[in-house]
Amino acid sequence: MTQPSVSSRIPLSRPYIDEREEELVLEVLRSGRLSLGPAIDRFEELFAERVGAPYAASLTSGTAALHLLCHTAGFGPGDEVITSPVSFVATANCFIFEGATPVFADVDPATLNLDPAAVEDAITERTKGIVAVDMFGYPCELDALRAIADRHGLTVILDSCEALGARYRGATVGSHGVSASFGFYPNKQMTTGEGGVATTHSEDEWQLLRSLRNQGRSYESRWFHHPRLGFNYRFTDVQAALGIAQLEKLDRILELRGEAAARYGRLLARLDGADAPLADDEDHVRSWFVYVVKLARGIDRDAVLERLADDGVEAGHYVPCVHLQPYMREGYGFAEGLCPVAEDAADRTLALPFYTGIAAEDQERVVEALERAIG
Ligand SMILES: Cc1ncc(COP(=O)(O)O)c(C=O)c1O
């Protein structure tokens, strides 16, 4: 088990892998079926079952999952798609790939997820969809967003890349009837090295996703029959083997991450100047992806990050606003002031080292270092 012990440099994240992953990967390597093989089907079945969606299509990344969902939604040139400025760039890129135009609506200051009222205000006659994010594993206001989408005839896509295992209104994220994407980069709750899944509640969309990931190939017909233009977004059986082993221990992973988050919460309670992340409520149960604290106004966040690094604590700037990235400013003319709530949060948030099985002593060291850095 790559169980971390107390270490001199505390990393921001690390995967949680043991002999089971080695065993299943070795089985696949010895089977001779490295792609388009049975491990993929098994992984997809297990994943769909875990999130409560009837269909899951494995893909090369969370970005590929988002891209194909935007493709199947039919977003294209002339369309506007509303999304969150508090996310990873992939959330907006996925429909820009299809020629649609990004429109950023501001977020709720507590959840850092799309504020439904801001989404409603951003709708024009060109709006075709909403790509909502469960940021930092905290479920977004899906019911309110769906109600808006229903009123205006829009498609909702869920970017749940950070939220595997989260629960919204008593049910697992992925089970609510909306197509969703999940990502398995090694900083995520579970990893396959790289990789992702798109879940859907429509058999037709699932068949389309399977075709699109494999160069638009038809599954009914012979090899090399391609009714449509597609991509190569194929997951491998090696990744699927890793994924199966990770799913087997996912409950334990989520439990350990929950315990680590609770420990940070207790340690931070004594510290002035850094607020812990929003607590769960009846309708929102976070799946702990990263542990992001918000610094009080007036504290120089970049200086805090530097001091933490000098103390051997790898913290991260989570996350800069998407609309203020250079290519967004240049391409669309976005500037400061477009989403003030998001911009204020982005100036003050930072992620502390956080991973499955992080040692309690390391968490204490992190909070002591943060106290010094703020002080
Ligand atoms: C919110 C969000 N969306 C999309 C992605 C893209 O996932 P991937 O890196 O697997 O392409 C990530 C992953 O970092 C993410 O955090």
Side-chain angles (χ1 to χ4, degrees):
M1 175 77 67
T2 53
Q3 287 265 21
S5 54
V6 180
S7 46
S8 56
R9 192 186 127 273
I10 308 174
L12 186 56
S13 71
R14 62 188 293 176
Y16 190 71
I17 306 275
D18 64 24
E19 297 77 13
R20 182 64 176 153
E21 280 76 3
E22 292 174 12
E23 181 190 334
L24 293 190
V25 167
L26 204 58
E27 244 174 52
V28 163
L29 292 178
R30 288 178 175 158
S31 76
R33 296 290 301 278
L34 301 189
S35 191
L36 297 171
I40 292 176
D41 296 339
R42 180 75 190 126
F43 170 72
E44 289 175 343
E45 274 168 31
L46 290 171
F47 192 88
E49 198 179 298
R50 184 62 179 78
V51 301
Y55 307 102
S58 59
L59 296 156
T60 46
S61 65
T63 305
L66 282 167
H67 181 201
L68 290 194
L69 291 176
C70 288
H71 188 87
T72 59
F75 299 155
D79 297 340
E80 291 177 357
V81 179
I82 300 172
T83 193
S84 173
V86 180
S87 190
F88 185 54
V89 289
T91 316
N93 290 351
C94 63
F95 54 81
I96 296 176
F97 296 158
E98 294 294 302
T101 303
V103 172
F104 290 96
D106 215 341
V107 297
D108 178 289
T111 66
L112 300 182
N113 286 325
L114 275 175
D115 173 356
V119 170
E120 185 117 50
D121 286 348
I123 291 174
T124 71
E125 70 267 11
R126 291 171 61 197
T127 308
K128 284 286 157 28
I130 302 167
V131 180
V133 189
D134 297 318
M135 199 56 189
F136 303 142
Y138 196 88
C140 69
E141 297 310 325
L142 187 60
D143 284 353
L145 294 172
R146 283 170 92 178
I148 293 169
D150 288 348
R151 276 203 298 283
H152 296 272
L154 314 177
T155 303
V156 179
I157 291 171
L158 204 47
D159 179 345
S160 302
C161 283
E162 302 185 352
L164 175 60
R167 294 177 71 77
Y168 173 66
R169 300 209 152 158
T172 312
V173 162
S175 71
H176 298 86
V178 171
S179 299
S181 63
F182 296 87
F184 310 132
Y185 182 75
N187 67 347
K188 297 294 191 300
Q189 289 88 334
M190 66 162 265
T191 187
T192 59
E194 294 283 356
V197 155
T199 55
T200 172
H201 292 249
S202 148
E203 185 179 356
D204 288 347
E205 186 178 44
W206 182 59
Q207 296 293 5
L208 196 52
L209 292 169
R210 282 154 47 87
S211 168
L212 287 167
R213 75 180 171 191
N214 195 12
Q215 308 282 10
R217 187 191 134 195
S218 160
Y219 271 80
E220 283 82 49
S221 183
R222 306 173 8 245
W223 276 92
F224 305 135
H225 180 65
H226 297 259
R228 60 184 64 80
L229 178 69
F231 307 85
N232 179 356
Y233 281 166
R234 294 190 305 263
F235 202 59
T236 68
D237 283 68
V238 178
Q239 287 169 298
L242 260 171
I244 292 167
Q246 292 270 282
L247 281 176
E248 283 175 1
K249 55 168 79 74
L250 184 62
D251 285 340
R252 180 70 185 137
I253 286 176
L254 297 179
E255 190 182 317
L256 285 169
R257 294 175 86 93
E259 285 170 16
R263 197 177 304 120
Y264 264 143
R266 288 192 297 276
L267 292 166
L268 284 166
R270 63 157 203 252
L271 197 143
D272 281 337
D275 287 341
L278 184 66
D280 292 346
D281 62 28
E282 208 180 311
D283 289 340
H284 308 82
V285 177
R286 187 193 299 268
S287 169
W288 287 96
F289 161 54
V290 280
Y291 196 89
V292 172
V293 298
K294 194 188 269 183
L295 301 180
R297 285 199 182 79
I299 296 177
D300 181 346
R301 191 263 321 275
D302 293 342
V304 170
L305 281 170
E306 261 178 48
R307 281 182 218 131
L308 287 172
D310 291 345
D311 250 344
V313 172
E314 204 183 277
H317 177 186
Y318 272 53
V319 286
C321 283
V322 178
H323 66 287
L324 298 180
Q325 293 291 347
Y327 75 105
M328 285 282 177
R329 291 175 184 269
E330 284 158 26
Y332 303 96
F334 298 137
E336 280 81 2
L338 182 68
C339 299
V341 179
E343 290 161 28
D344 175 60
D347 285 344
R348 298 199 282 132
T349 44
L350 64 87
L352 299 179
F354 187 76
Y355 42 89
T356 310
I358 184 172
E361 295 87 336
D362 281 343
Q363 291 189 271
E364 281 158 24
R365 249 188 70 197
V366 169
V367 175
E368 281 158 18
L370 182 64
E371 199 165 10
R372 279 194 298 277
I374 290 174

